[in-house]
Amino acid sequence: MGGDWGEVTEAEAVAAVEAARNAGIDFFDTADVYGDGRSERIVGETLAEDIAAGDVTVATKAGRRLDPHEADGYAEANLRRFVDRSRENLGMDTLDLVQLHCPPTDVYYRPATFDALATLEDEGRIASYGVSVERVEEGLKAIEYPGVETVQIIFNPFRQRPAELFLDEAAARDVGVICRVPLASGLLTGALSRDAEFPEDDHRNFNREGEAFDVGETFAGVPFEAGLDAVDELDERLPDDRPLPEFALRWILDHDAVSTVIPGSTTPEHVRANAAASDAEPLSDAEREAASE
Ligand SMILES: NC(=O)c1ccc[n+]([C@@H]2O[C@H](COP(=O)([O-])OP(=O)(O)OC[C@H]3O[C@@H](n4cnc5c(N)ncnc54)[C@H](OP(=O)(O)O)[C@@H]3O)[C@@H](O)[C@H]2O)c1
């Protein structure tokens, strides 16, 4: 919904959110910069009743409205301004969860930013706060702050490093782990081909080498062609009744420290299939082995 994925109409966006809700999804991730507030507004309007009833959790993000995007900007007054705009967009007095949106690494070494988030929490503007990180090291630093309740991180069969140390540390501190880019921007669905073309304003067109933002956000940092080869190999080793997207989502969810996984989709059919992965069988040893090789 306006987060560098090409054009998505309002009707498509609403249909995707409704499909998710109807499939039992109760955690939604957005950000103040997605479509410059459009995503928050659509999520807030579509889920208004569920939000009022406390039946869903909506996570948003703050920080990327800073221009220039520098550590100094992560100050209390700016964060309050961003949070107030998100409250208005989402129609929520108290935001469920606000995540610093991949801030510069310096921010993790500035307790004042985390004190500011605690102040916003005390004021009732937010119920809890966390961070969305680019690097494992940032996640490890962030969870040293006792008020940080969640870390959003890229974790999927192509990007396994968080499993080494980060997940254990997060579990030990009872920090929620939200896994993003679980399908490596679509690579891990098997639906992309070598001659796939992406719209001009789709990050898979303009950020393959990290030209616009961290390369990890696009195909999980894996070169496109090499990723397609790996997906072909993986698919051959999976049983026929294990579709690739389900495999990728299950691989993530099978880690006990993972709290939730947030596949992005504008296609109701994909949304329903992804939601069903929650109830699918855990991976077999042979399937896990395929991912580790
Ligand atoms: N810095 C940050 O904090 C940050 C950065 C990036 C993402 N995020 C969050 O993470 C979420 C997920 O990441 P992402 O959207 O970048 O990547 P992703 O979930 O890895 O991949 C999304 C892509 O996979 C396709 N897809 C999804 N389910 C499918 C299925 N079952 N079969 C075939 N294709 C399928 C989608 O196409 P269709 O639309 O056709 O389904 C879309 O092209 C985002 O929505 C956002 O909330 C946060």
Side-chain angles (χ1 to χ4, degrees), residues 3 5 28-31 34 61 64 99-102 132-134 152 154 156 179-187 189-192 198 202-204 213 217-218 245-246 249 262-271 273-274:
W5 284 102
F28 292 81
D29 178 75
T30 180
Y34 294 171
K61 312 191 192 78
R64 287 275 160 173
Q99 307 155 96
L100 297 183
H101 197 166
C102 297
S132 178
V133 303
E134 285 172 347
Q152 185 180 131
I154 301 176
N156 64 45
C179 299
R180 76 167 179 276
V181 197
L183 303 171
S185 315
L187 249 186
T189 67
L192 299 180
F198 303 101
D202 186 314
H203 68 106
R204 293 171 295 181
F213 41 80
E217 310 294 353
T218 303
E246 180 186 296
L249 297 174
I262 49 169
S265 178
T266 53
T267 310
E269 187 194 330
H270 294 165
V271 170
N274 294 343

Side-chain angles (χ1 to χ4, degrees), residues 49-109:
E49 274 181 31
D50 289 316
I51 289 173
D55 288 342
V56 292
T57 299
V58 179
T60 191
K61 312 191 192 78
R64 287 275 160 173
R65 293 177 56 75
L66 291 168
D67 185 15
H69 181 238
E70 291 175 349
D72 284 347
Y74 281 77
E76 186 175 309
N78 285 337
L79 289 173
R80 185 176 289 107
R81 192 158 48 85
F82 298 153
V83 160
D84 284 349
R85 182 174 177 271
S86 291
R87 291 166 66 215
E88 169 105 34
N89 283 341
L90 283 162
M92 298 172 78
D93 279 345
T94 303
L95 298 177
D96 292 330
L97 174 66
V98 169
Q99 307 155 96
L100 297 183
H101 197 166
C102 297
T105 303
D106 265 5
V107 166
Y108 298 98
Y109 296 87

